[in-house]
Amino acid sequence: MSIHGTCQDIKANAASLSHAMRCDPSDAAAQAALKEFIQRTYSDLASLAWHLGADGDVFQREAVPASELVDDVYFAINREKEFEAPAYRQPYSTLNHAQQGIAR
């Protein structure tokens, strides 16, 4: 596969992740889609590294451990949901006051 093909694969992986999140935003579907995205992206990065003359084994070795972090994160999120009172508004956001509709 060429460098251009590898770059196209990376873009396709991002598009499929976006599509999966839009179609079924449940935690289980998001977790599975994110794991698949990370594994495929690491594989594509290994291929890209090989094309650039570097050793892609590091990416291949780290693909599974990186995707397993997704399980750990979702486990932590779900544990917090079990013991946390429901929050009706996010206390912090990257949006400014005008975007949030908060009067100053």
Side-chain angles (χ1 to χ4, degrees):
M1 183 180 292
S2 67
I3 291 176
H4 179 70
T6 303
C7 291
Q8 292 298 340
D9 286 348
I10 292 171
K11 290 177 186 176
N13 290 341
S16 67
L17 175 65
S18 175
H19 178 72
M21 294 293 199
R22 261 186 281 122
C23 292
D24 186 9
S26 69
D27 280 349
Q31 182 177 356
L34 191 55
K35 280 183 74 166
E36 182 180 350
F37 170 77
I38 289 174
Q39 287 178 343
R40 286 184 179 193
T41 301
Y42 268 75
S43 178
D44 290 338
L45 288 173
S47 180
L48 190 59
W50 180 80
H51 282 296
L52 295 174
D55 185 13
D57 287 341
V58 172
F59 289 112
Q60 290 292 60
R61 279 194 314 267
E62 295 299 323
V64 172
S67 67
E68 289 173 352
L69 286 175
V70 173
D71 292 332
D72 295 340
V73 169
Y74 273 92
F75 177 78
I77 289 170
N78 290 332
R79 290 291 289 176
E80 286 179 13
K81 285 180 182 178
E82 287 179 27
F83 299 106
E84 189 176 274
Y88 298 104
R89 287 191 75 178
Q90 290 183 341
Y92 305 105
S93 175
T94 57
L95 302 175
N96 64 28
H97 283 85
Q99 289 170 321
Q100 293 181 30
I102 299 172
R104 289 185 182 200

